[in-house]
Amino acid sequence: MRFALSEEQQELAATVRSLLAKRADPRVETYDEGLWQTLCEQIGVSALGIPEEYGGAGFSLFEALVALEEVGRSLAPSPLLSSLVASEALLAGADDDAKERLLPRIAAGEVAAFAEGADARDVLDGDLASVLVLAADGVLWEVGDAERAWTPSMDQTLRLATVRADLAGATRIGDGTAARDRARLVGTVGCAALAVGCAARALEMTVAYSKERVQFGRPIGSFQALKHRMADLLVRLEMARSASWAASYAVARHTDEAEQLAHVAKAYCGDALTHIAGETIQLHGGIAITWEHDAHLVFKRAHALGQLFGAGHTHRAALTL
């Protein structure tokens, strides 16, 4: 692919960014239902990757991940990643009847979650989802009643839950192995997209602060040493974005190198965000270690994304197999 967005994709990103800039609040711990419905109804973020025959917009997973990057930039909680993972798991493993019943609900904005196993931990939005599917014993199940409990975490805007389901009351809807493999792959590139968005927000904050903070009679951004550090951050960010887009495109198109590129993107984008988050705190000085500033939100998000869907070292190790 060309490592650039098409005009239509750029417009999508700009529209999502504009809405989130006006409405998103990164300091809340549960997603804003009104904002989520606006994103779904006016922009169709939940429907982007779902085929038209199932009530979707008929674009691709790549466009959905472009929107997800902007969600990452906003730092606000959103069920977009969990719904993307669940919808792609259904597309990969569910039978036709289940697709026809469940995908239109996700496309319309119902929150969906995917779990591995009948006793699953760290399920994204598992306690909030009205559409819950899980893979267990090689089977994909639709779960109605389940015991769900919110799991406290460092970054509480990425909501995790424990889900315990009685499969005797669940409905078999397809191939659990295919659904699980697709869910892992989509979750991996989804985390990379969120990391790129978060890193972009961190760099924007840092550059803006360097223009406002005056020391020795001049803005600190005019000092050459700080210019070099911020230039290095920009290089890391752009390399991370290239890795994320390459992996997103490959996973969306089901190419042969999709899994390899997903491992690369998750490892590199996670490491890049960790570094940029650290430099954001350092370059902001004392204000960055106060609750009033958003730097701590970037730090928490970096830590959480570094672990979600596999730590960087596990993805690097997978590349050697």
Side-chain angles (χ1 to χ4, degrees):
M1 66 170 289
R2 295 182 301 109
F3 284 93
L5 300 182
S6 67
E7 183 176 346
E8 188 175 42
Q9 290 163 347
Q10 290 176 30
E11 290 178 359
L12 169 64
T15 302
V16 175
R17 185 185 307 178
S18 176
L19 176 58
L20 291 172
K22 296 175 183 176
R23 295 275 305 274
D25 182 358
R27 295 178 178 272
V28 298
E29 295 179 0
T30 304
Y31 78 97
D32 181 334
E33 293 185 16
L35 174 58
W36 173 245
Q37 287 303 314
T38 301
L39 283 166
C40 294
E41 293 170 4
Q42 296 188 7
I43 303 176
V45 294
S46 59
L48 288 170
I50 296 177
E52 292 180 353
E53 62 189 289
Y54 301 121
F59 288 94
S60 75
L61 176 64
F62 184 81
E63 281 74 25
L65 291 168
V66 168
L68 187 64
E69 181 181 323
E70 295 304 325
V71 169
R73 183 192 297 268
S74 76
L75 297 177
S78 169
L80 181 55
L81 177 57
S82 60
S83 291
L84 279 179
V85 170
S87 62
E88 287 288 324
L90 287 167
L91 286 169
D95 57 38
D96 290 341
D97 178 66
K99 290 177 184 177
E100 291 171 359
R101 286 189 298 103
L102 299 178
L103 287 172
R105 293 170 58 186
I106 300 175
E110 288 194 43
V111 177
F114 174 84
E116 290 190 33
D119 186 357
R121 291 166 176 77
D122 298 336
V123 180
L124 267 176
D125 298 310
D127 60 327
L128 302 176
S130 58
V131 176
L132 177 61
V133 294
L134 65 84
D137 303 323
V139 177
L140 184 62
W141 305 84
E142 178 188 355
V143 178
D145 295 330
E147 180 183 339
R148 313 184 195 194
W150 170 63
T151 302
S153 57
M154 174 175 280
D155 181 2
Q156 296 180 19
T157 63
L158 287 175
R159 194 175 182 89
L160 303 176
T162 298
V163 175
R164 294 185 176 90
D166 182 3
L167 297 183
T171 304
R172 290 173 175 256
I173 58 172
D175 182 349
T177 301
R180 179 205 63 197
D181 292 346
R182 185 64 178 174
R184 288 178 179 177
L185 200 57
V186 172
T188 297
V189 294
C191 283
L194 284 175
V196 170
C198 182
R201 172 69 172 271
L203 181 56
E204 289 166 2
M205 288 165 39
T206 303
V207 172
Y209 180 76
S210 73
K211 295 177 180 179
E212 299 170 357
R213 179 71 168 91
V214 175
Q215 189 67 283
F216 304 113
R218 54 193 286 198
I220 62 173
S222 65
F223 298 130
Q224 188 175 48
L226 298 190
K227 287 182 179 180
H228 287 172
R229 287 172 71 174
M230 286 183 280
D232 288 342
L233 297 184
L234 178 60
V235 170
R236 287 178 185 263
L237 171 61
E238 291 304 319
M239 291 178 67
R241 181 173 283 119
S242 293
S244 174
W245 285 357
S248 295
Y249 184 85
V251 172
R253 297 296 189 273
H254 299 266
T255 65
D256 293 339
E257 67 272 20
E259 185 174 354
Q260 181 183 33
L261 289 174
H263 289 312
V264 171
K266 181 62 167 68
Y268 188 85
C269 294
D271 288 352
L273 175 56
T274 296
H275 179 82
I276 292 172
E279 284 289 86
T280 295
I281 293 172
Q282 290 292 322
L283 291 170
H284 275 81
I287 193 175
I289 58 173
T290 65
W291 292 117
E292 289 74 17
H293 199 274
D294 286 348
H296 72 94
L297 300 175
V298 172
F299 177 81
K300 291 175 181 177
R301 180 62 62 86
H303 178 80
L305 290 177
Q307 303 301 316
L308 192 63
F309 285 98
H313 67 87
T314 63
H315 288 282
R316 285 189 289 272
L319 290 169
T320 66
L321 298 178

